[in-house]
Amino acid sequence: MSDAEYVNIWMRPERPARGPKPTYSRAQITEAAVRIADAEGLEAATMRRIAAEIGAGAMSLYRYVPSRDDLIALVADRLMGEIDVEGMPSGDWRADLTRYATEVRAMWLRHPWIATVHRSLPGFGPNQLRLIERVMGALDAHVPIDENLGLMAILTGYVEGTVREEVSSAEELRRSGLSESEWMARSHPRIQQLVESGEYPIFTKIVMEAGRLHLSRDEQFRHGLERVLDCIAAALPSATGPESENPPNP
Amino acid sequence: MSDAEYVNIWMRPERPARGPKPTYSRAQITEAAVRIADAEGLEAATMRRIAAEIGAGAMSLYRYVPSRDDLIALVADRLMGEIDVEGMPSGDWRADLTRYATEVRAMWLRHPWIATVHRSLPGFGPNQLRLIERVMGALDAHVPIDENLGLMAILTGYVEGTVREEVSSAEELRRSGLSESEWMARSHPRIQQLVESGEYPIFTKIVMEAGRLHLSRDEQFRHGLERVLDCIAAALPSATGPESENPPNP
DNA sequence: CATAATCGCGTACGACGTACCCAGTGGAGG
DNA sequence: CCTCCACTGGGTACGTCGTACGCGATTATG
């Protein structure tokens, strides 16, 4: 009550002033967690396993991080650091948002297990903040801030929603320890049952089409993204107009 | 290996032919799980807790469900059953999709904890299939099936992405056992620190604006949804045209 | 009526996050 | 210089989780 009771993980100093020098570091621990999660999934990144990865005892991690949840918050921000938004806003909002969306998707595909960490309250980590500044900066010159938030919700909703679907199948497979062919073997009877019942014509159509989809996932994503950006463009006050009746930045 | 080895939860019959009559049922167990999750969050719905809720022993549940993961799959489909898509497709695709989106959001708000169950491989549950038929049926007359999938990805991406954000803050709060004011108390120093640093002008703008947002979350959602539907409309072959050059349903 | 399948469920195991404790260490105050 | 004590790493232990296994009781089928 009266003592420290730290508050936000980003406000808790990594190392106090006094005492012996710490052997490890938050960055090292976070990196180990990412490495394990990449290789074996996030649920394999237990405190004991992470500690072992860096050659520490399990309880030593708690000298650096107050709980596993806080460690995951660190990991999440570390992942956001992989998203390259250097030079944004560039003045070309469409190019900026395209790059951002592409970077986010690439990061998710590199670390599919973030699909399993439910987006939490804003963590206020440095990388998250950098993203906010750079990416929302792209539209900041064109719309007021609440409009900007609304449009970004559409964009990030689309990006995260679609890539989550791409990624969580793979995650689910790995988690269940099934190979893709094993999963198909298990699901096929059910699919066949549904198709043969004749009650699900659209589902059947999807199954039939699945064999010969002519667009790769990359192309599908880019195609949908273009549409979403068109949608955002339509909501922007036309830059070609002589004057905007709703000046965004007074 | 040689014996049953059931495959998909929906293909495993609830009750075999022989033996004594079961005391409970999948539906009863699923309902109990939903009840507990609504009241105390999904992580409180442990096997022991669910069993206690219906007055059974912990291990009895495994007579009905092969694992907790499968039970969650049952729960997920049960939630999809709450989404009312009766009478779809009605012929007015925009009305259908609006209703669907609104229903999905309402369901998420009733059961915020579904944000924590990562969307898995298609479970092929009856309610999920009903949704596919009804909702994708809305556009089926207008576009080929792969286009339909792409457009639905945009819609569901937006809906789930935005409502996930609405909901996961509340979930995170409950999970951490903090009240909203406690959370604010913990975060405020960090927010203040960031604002005062002067390095985050857009973040600062958001914080400032937060006090007087003039649109309710409902209105924000509807507003964004209209934009997404406009975006879908733009991708549809114009119904007013004399003939479509790409006949969707041969 | 005998048989075997299925019932509910008690016990037990190996994992998890982490509270608590203790011995060792090294910078600050004398 | 020595002394102190805030800090270090980490071992042990607790409560909880999902669930494997096996028991006696029950009941549809031969």
Side-chain angles (χ1 to χ4, degrees), chain A residues 183-194 196, chain B residues 7 11:
Chain A
W183 181 81
M184 269 308 286
R186 300 204 180 198
S187 298
H188 195 258
R190 174 67 171 165
I191 295 175
Q192 196 164 14
Q193 178 191 49
L194 292 167
E196 285 174 358
Chain B
V7 137
M11 294 208 76

Side-chain angles (χ1 to χ4, degrees), chain A residues 95-216:
Chain A
D96 287 351
L97 295 191
T98 302
R99 177 146 75 96
Y100 170 65
T102 309
E103 288 274 339
V104 169
R105 176 162 176 270
M107 187 272 276
W108 276 62
L109 294 179
R110 277 195 301 275
H111 311 288
W113 43 269
I114 52 157
T116 68
V117 16
H118 40 299
R119 190 224 306 292
S120 60
L121 292 165
F124 305 113
N127 288 314
Q128 184 189 4
L129 287 158
R130 187 179 48 94
L131 251 37
I132 290 175
E133 294 301 314
R134 307 280 208 180
V135 178
M136 294 195 60
L139 291 182
D140 192 52
H142 302 89
V143 294
I145 191 70
D146 56 339
E147 271 283 298
N148 199 338
L149 283 167
L151 294 174
M152 287 305 300
I154 296 178
L155 180 69
T156 62
Y158 169 71
V159 173
E160 288 195 12
T162 52
V163 73
R164 182 184 294 273
E165 188 162 335
E166 274 189 72
V167 134
S168 60
S169 339
E171 261 307 278
E172 183 83 347
L173 278 182
R174 200 200 37 65
R175 225 173 55 85
S176 65
L178 264 47
S179 76
E180 180 151 3
S181 60
E182 278 173 327
W183 181 81
M184 269 308 286
R186 300 204 180 198
S187 298
H188 195 258
R190 174 67 171 165
I191 295 175
Q192 196 164 14
Q193 178 191 49
L194 292 167
V195 166
E196 285 174 358
S197 78
E199 290 184 57
Y200 305 101
I202 294 187
F203 175 77
T204 302
K205 221 192 275 190
I206 295 171
V207 170
M208 295 310 189
E209 192 73 10
R212 50 189 156 78
L213 28 72
H214 26 68
L215 252 45
S216 74

Side-chain angles (χ1 to χ4, degrees), chain A residues 8-53:
Chain A
N8 180 296
I9 181 70
W10 298 105
M11 294 207 77
R12 178 191 285 246
E14 166 143 16
R15 21 186 316 181
R18 302 272 297 280
K21 286 189 178 174
T23 314
Y24 315 104
S25 72
R26 276 191 192 166
Q28 187 183 3
I29 294 169
T30 306
E31 221 57 45
V34 170
R35 206 157 46 237
I36 295 168
D38 281 343
E40 307 165 46
L42 186 61
E43 85 280 359
T46 67
M47 297 304 267
R48 289 172 230 260
R49 181 83 174 69
I50 296 168
E53 176 83 7

Side-chain angles (χ1 to χ4, degrees), chain B residues 16 18 20 22-24 56-57 59-60 63-64:
Chain B
R18 300 274 295 278
T23 314
Y24 315 104
M59 290 314 291
S60 303
R63 294 284 172 192
Y64 299 85

Side-chain angles (χ1 to χ4, degrees), chain A residues 69 118, chain B residues 33-34 36-50 68 72 112-114 116-117 170-177:
Chain A
D69 280 359
H118 40 299
Chain B
V34 171
I36 295 169
D38 281 343
E40 307 165 46
L42 186 61
E43 84 281 0
T46 65
M47 297 304 267
R48 290 172 231 262
R49 181 83 175 71
I50 295 168
R68 183 170 189 270
I72 300 294
W113 42 270
I114 51 156
T116 68
V117 16
E171 259 308 276
E172 183 83 351
L173 279 182
R174 199 200 37 64
R175 225 172 57 85
S176 66

